[in-house]
Amino acid sequence: MQENKNIAVVGAGLVGSLLAIHLRKLGFPVTLYDKSEDIRKVDFKGKSINLAISTRGWHALKNVGIEKEIEEIAIPMDKRAIHAIDGSINLQPYGINGEAIYSISRGELNRKMVDIAERFGTNFCFDHKIWDVSLEKSTLYIGEEERGEWEEHQFDVIFGTDGAFSKIRQRMQRQNRFDYSQHFLHLGYKELYIPPAEDGKHRIDPNSFHIWPRKDFMLIALANTDGSFTSTLFMPFEGAYSFESIDTENKLEAFFKEFFPDAFDLMPTLTENYFNNPTSSLVTTQCYPWVYKDRIALLGDAAHAIVPFYGQGMNAGFEDITELFHQIQEGNGDWDEILEAYQKVRKPNGDAIAELSFRNFKEMGTDTADRSFLLQKKIEAKFTKKYPELWLPLYDRVSFTLQPYSEVLAIGNRQQQIMKEVMEEPNIEELWQTDAIYDLILQKIKV
């Protein structure tokens, strides 16, 4: 390993901060640039969706020994709590062995990660706007204005971790034969808020991922350590029920009382949050290549932004770091080989989790309230307990293993086809606990 490589990381978000920590652990000098002011001084409220850390994310944190610090600001969620319109709640355990994902505030985590990266020796440069990048010279051009004077900052390697609309990737897109696509969902999201109860405790179960699925729109809520919940409303931009059409306090109140009555009672600041917080879009981006020679590489959303419905955006970005960390440790100092090996491993997995995240939107918005879906989950759970070496549900593979996303997608497709055939069996609702059903699944697996 060549420890004299001078490295720049562009983007001081979660992936950029954690990448800096990993690189510093390996002994590299690291300068981390961000166009905004120090994020420890920024109010994140009203602008984000709470995060869910799962096994892949924890693995990346453990690589540099900071998982205990992050656990202090995380809350375990071992189940979904599905809220029906009539106020009833259906609890759906996540893992077959009681595993949990962890709710964490994006702002709180980002501040913590910057503190840790600084402690590891990262040189932070906030309020530095990058207007262009020389791929060949691995040079950043930084200045106050796009048409003003720029300073040149040259490095040996530059990592772009600057999000879905990455400046580093935009420069790479000007290369010949660079593939790029972006796809926006027809719906957006808006952050809402459930305050703590008067005694400072959570008003609803903090160890559940709360979902109000309503087919064309959906509300979720994840707990914070201060007794509050960050809630997010996903809804179309236009249409009968949309951010465009719900444009008065009366319409908003009527909408929530009709579709989210129990949530309405928990949100005293609903009107203020709805009309003051921005409406944000949901985009998937895919590109290739992720690297340029031995000097430029993309990680996280800069390489593969995905929609948030599997809670894997941050986890996938952290897993990029895990793979890069592995390649640097195993490599012989040839950064051409290191970066090429990194992208060859991670590109198929970035595409796979993008597809899985699209699919999980339907599951969260519609299927979680469907009787057939719930029955299928019960059958899968029972079969897994009988034959754990033969079957692990898709969600468990994504959230509670380190199996590559591309393999998970392929296995999930096969399992879904098997379960589709099983659910078409006559009288499945009456027969689902009989041995014949599980013998049938076993037979189909062996085909």
Side-chain angles (χ1 to χ4, degrees):
M1 182 180 71
Q2 298 175 3
E3 295 195 0
N4 61 340
K5 289 283 186 183
N6 189 24
I7 296 177
V9 177
V10 178
L14 300 171
V15 173
S17 300
L18 185 60
L19 175 60
I21 293 167
H22 279 72
L23 293 170
R24 287 296 302 136
K25 189 174 180 67
L26 292 171
F28 295 104
V30 178
T31 303
L32 204 163
Y33 293 94
D34 198 278
K35 65 182 180 181
S36 303
E37 66 178 302
D38 189 331
I39 51 182
R40 290 166 292 188
K41 303 174 183 177
V42 173
D43 183 6
F44 272 77
K45 283 188 177 180
K47 300 177 182 177
S48 68
I49 304 169
N50 261 36
L51 302 165
I53 304 180
S54 55
T55 297
R56 300 169 199 272
W58 287 119
H59 181 65
L61 297 169
K62 288 175 183 176
N63 279 339
V64 285
I66 63 172
E67 75 279 6
K68 297 298 182 184
E69 290 184 71
I70 305 306
E71 285 176 6
E72 295 174 0
I73 57 172
I75 297 175
M77 301 181 294
D78 59 4
K79 58 191 174 299
R80 289 168 169 165
I82 308 301
H83 295 250
I85 290 181
D86 64 8
S88 62
I89 300 175
N90 182 282
L91 300 179
Q92 301 173 7
Y94 273 128
I96 58 171
N97 296 309
E99 296 94 340
I101 58 177
Y102 287 74
S103 172
I104 193 164
S105 160
R106 178 183 294 273
E108 194 171 2
L109 177 59
N110 209 158
R111 294 185 190 101
K112 173 76 77 172
M113 297 287 280
V114 169
D115 281 339
I116 296 171
E118 198 168 62
R119 191 177 76 217
F120 269 68
T122 302
N123 175 35
F124 279 90
C125 294
F126 292 105
D127 288 311
H128 279 61
K129 295 182 176 65
I130 294 168
W131 299 106
D132 202 359
V133 185
S134 169
L135 303 183
E136 199 62 48
K137 297 179 181 178
S138 55
T139 297
L140 300 173
Y141 296 93
I142 300 171
E144 289 295 320
E145 299 177 357
E146 186 171 10
R147 298 185 180 279
E149 292 187 8
W150 294 346
E151 295 179 357
E152 297 183 14
H153 295 255
Q154 187 171 19
F155 294 88
D156 297 307
V157 184
I158 297 173
F159 291 107
T161 60
D162 47 339
F165 305 103
S166 165
K167 274 285 186 184
I168 307 301
R169 190 194 63 235
Q170 286 176 19
R171 178 61 186 86
M172 292 177 71
Q173 286 173 230
R174 302 208 295 266
Q175 298 176 85
N176 186 33
R177 299 178 65 196
F178 186 93
D179 293 326
Y180 174 73
S181 67
Q182 68 178 26
H183 173 73
F184 286 91
L185 288 189
H186 69 285
L187 73 166
Y189 69 90
K190 186 182 290 286
E191 182 184 312
L192 304 175
Y193 181 69
I194 297 174
E198 290 184 2
D199 60 2
K201 295 181 179 179
H202 295 92
R203 293 172 181 262
I204 49 180
D205 178 24
N207 301 118
S208 294
F209 187 127
H210 294 269
I211 309 175
W212 289 259
R214 300 296 184 262
K215 190 177 179 181
D216 295 325
F217 43 87
M218 172 176 61
L219 185 71
I220 65 171
L222 289 85
N224 298 310
T225 54
D226 64 358
S228 70
F229 283 79
T230 298
S231 180
T232 309
L233 175 64
F234 297 94
M235 191 162 61
F237 285 100
E238 299 93 16
Y241 294 108
S242 66
F243 289 115
E244 180 184 67
S245 65
I246 300 174
D247 56 0
T248 68
E249 292 185 18
N250 287 339
K251 289 179 181 179
L252 177 64
E253 182 174 334
F255 172 66
F256 261 74
K257 284 184 175 180
E258 179 177 358
F259 293 106
F260 311 116
D262 57 334
F264 178 78
D265 294 335
L266 301 171
M267 295 181 170
T269 59
L270 172 63
T271 299
E272 175 188 341
N273 297 153
Y274 182 89
F275 289 105
N276 291 339
N277 291 345
T279 303
S280 302
S281 58
L282 297 165
V283 65
T284 297
T285 63
Q286 293 174 295
C287 68
Y288 198 79
W290 290 5
V291 308
Y292 180 82
K293 296 184 178 180
D294 62 346
R295 60 205 70 167
I296 310 287
L298 304 173
L299 292 90
D301 285 357
H304 52 78
I306 61 176
V307 292
F309 302 112
Y310 229 122
Q312 287 294 302
M314 174 189 65
N315 292 285
F318 282 9
E319 197 169 56
D320 290 346
I321 299 170
T322 298
E323 182 59 36
L324 179 65
F325 190 59
H326 168 74
Q327 294 297 341
I328 296 173
Q329 288 177 306
E330 295 297 312
N332 60 3
D334 185 330
W335 280 75
D336 257 323
E337 291 184 6
I338 289 169
L339 297 184
E340 181 62 26
Y342 153 73
Q343 75 168 348
K344 281 190 173 180
V345 171
R346 291 305 296 162
K347 168 61 176 172
N349 292 303
D351 291 344
I353 192 56
E355 174 63 23
L356 288 164
S357 297
F358 267 123
R359 295 183 187 183
N360 212 48
F361 168 59
K362 178 178 180 295
E363 180 173 314
M364 287 180 65
T366 304
D367 292 348
T368 49
D370 180 77
R371 287 182 60 188
S372 178
F373 171 83
L374 299 178
L375 178 58
Q376 177 178 323
K377 291 300 180 185
K378 289 180 181 178
I379 295 172
E380 286 191 70
K382 185 172 180 179
F383 187 82
T384 301
K385 288 184 177 180
K386 288 171 70 74
Y387 303 103
E389 73 284 0
L390 296 179
W391 192 284
L392 187 66
L394 178 63
Y395 189 91
D396 293 66
R397 289 185 188 276
V398 170
S399 298
F400 306 127
T401 79
L402 299 176
Q403 187 170 21
Y405 289 127
S406 55
E407 293 180 12
V408 171
L409 177 59
I411 293 170
N413 287 340
R414 173 63 179 146
Q415 288 183 338
Q416 183 56 29
Q417 181 57 39
I418 290 173
M419 290 309 300
K420 180 176 181 293
E421 294 169 7
V422 170
M423 296 305 292
E424 290 172 351
E425 285 290 303
N427 303 316
I428 185 65
E429 291 192 4
E430 289 76 33
L431 300 176
W432 75 272
Q433 298 200 64
T434 64
D435 290 340
I437 295 300
Y438 299 93
D439 290 342
L440 176 63
I441 298 174
L442 196 58
Q443 179 184 344
K444 290 180 179 296
I445 289 176
K446 293 178 178 179
V447 171

